[in-house]
Amino acid sequence: MSRQYVILNTDEIDSVEFDQVMETEASKVRKSVDGSKFFVKFVGDVPSFLEGKTIYSHSEILAILATDEWSPPDPV
């Protein structure tokens, strides 16, 4: 089975059931540059707290993470 990814707003971090995703705690998630979003990854069935959310494949999340929203610009 392949990993799947879900992007959430930072104000939803308290709803994450860390025993159902690959991240172990809130401080371990990767956040967007402005800190307003983060993502979690999981394998297998969609955790119940993520039902109804958009699920991304590995290639889709890589494309998203390559954007300015997720990757700070290189210093000059």
Side-chain angles (χ1 to χ4, degrees):
M1 283 189 223
S2 59
R3 292 180 182 173
Q4 298 182 80
Y5 305 81
V6 175
I7 296 172
L8 300 165
N9 293 321
T10 304
D11 63 2
E12 297 176 275
I13 202 151
D14 291 335
S15 70
V16 175
E17 296 178 27
F18 286 100
D19 60 335
Q20 295 183 30
V21 295
M22 298 181 81
E23 293 72 21
T24 56
E25 58 188 65
S27 66
K28 304 284 184 183
V29 300
R30 179 170 171 188
K31 293 183 179 176
S32 59
V33 172
D34 69 3
S36 68
K37 297 178 183 176
F38 69 99
F39 73 91
V40 294
K41 55 188 170 291
F42 64 93
V43 176
D45 294 334
V46 178
S48 59
F49 74 95
L50 294 175
E51 287 182 6
K53 304 286 186 184
T54 302
I55 298 172
Y56 299 97
S57 67
H58 187 252
S59 60
E60 291 170 325
I61 201 73
L62 287 178
I64 291 167
L65 297 179
T67 65
D68 290 343
E69 183 177 13
W70 290 89
S71 297
D74 292 330
V76 177

